[in-house]
Amino acid sequence: MIKAVMVMNTQGKPRLAKFFDYLPVEKQQELIRRVFGVLCSRPENVSNFIEAESIFGPDSRLVYNHFATLYFVVVFDSSENELAMLDLIQHVMHSVLVQQTLERCFKNVCELDIVFNYSKVVLEAATNAISFIPKSASSWLSR
């Protein structure tokens, strides 16, 4: 089971945090700080998989990926596949549609572009998604 999903910048400021079990806000903030403390102290050349029992309790694992100025983090238990969780993060990070949209909307993408221009990104992504319909299918739809 996935326990939490977090996106935080390299200064430790959370940009997205979703905990799937109820936790008071103070506890969520403490967990985010502890996760950031672990992530920022890890060298670049080590595994992206971390045993997170000391932070989230028994049977907890954490996988993360660092992209630009953001850490993408998923916390889960042993019923989930570690590689599937990493793949999930990579799909979110490297979605061709999102990447093309970000490049089209902004010259040099940074986290503030995403945070402060979210509606522009969503609108552009929706427009791009419509343009991916093959002409043969679009002619069929117009009948």
Side-chain angles (χ1 to χ4, degrees):
M1 180 175 102
I2 296 176
K3 296 181 176 188
V5 176
M6 296 175 244
V7 178
M8 63 187 77
N9 68 15
T10 52
Q11 275 68 51
K13 184 171 184 177
R15 295 302 187 184
L16 170 92
K18 175 66 178 167
F19 292 85
F20 294 98
D21 289 327
Y22 171 77
L23 294 170
V25 174
E26 298 80 20
K27 181 68 173 172
Q28 291 179 17
Q29 291 171 342
E30 176 194 337
L31 293 172
I32 291 168
R33 278 191 300 273
R34 291 180 66 191
V35 167
F36 176 72
V38 170
L39 296 181
C40 71
S41 65
R42 290 176 67 82
E44 292 283 328
N45 61 346
V46 297
S47 171
N48 293 19
F49 303 100
I50 301 171
E51 291 294 328
E53 292 181 347
S54 64
I55 301 171
F56 288 93
D59 194 32
S60 296
R61 299 174 184 172
L62 179 151
V63 64
Y64 71 96
N65 210 334
H66 184 213
F67 177 73
T69 61
L70 296 172
Y71 288 105
F72 293 79
V73 181
V74 177
V75 180
F76 54 96
D77 64 19
S78 63
S79 69
E80 299 292 343
N81 181 298
E82 290 178 336
L83 293 176
M85 295 296 101
L86 182 60
D87 194 42
L88 174 69
I89 292 172
Q90 289 175 338
H91 279 345
V92 169
M93 287 176 33
H94 299 293
S95 166
V96 173
L97 181 59
V98 172
Q99 205 167 27
Q100 289 175 348
T101 300
L102 292 173
E103 289 171 2
R104 188 172 294 152
C105 289
F106 312 105
K107 298 258 186 262
N108 295 317
V109 180
C110 73
E111 67 179 274
L112 295 178
D113 292 326
I114 297 167
V115 171
F116 292 117
N117 296 296
Y118 179 75
S119 59
K120 182 178 179 182
V121 171
V122 170
L123 180 61
E124 186 72 23
T127 303
N128 289 344
I130 291 170
S131 69
F132 287 134
I133 298 174
K135 288 185 180 183
S136 60
S138 61
S139 64
W140 180 80
L141 292 172
S142 64
R143 292 183 188 173

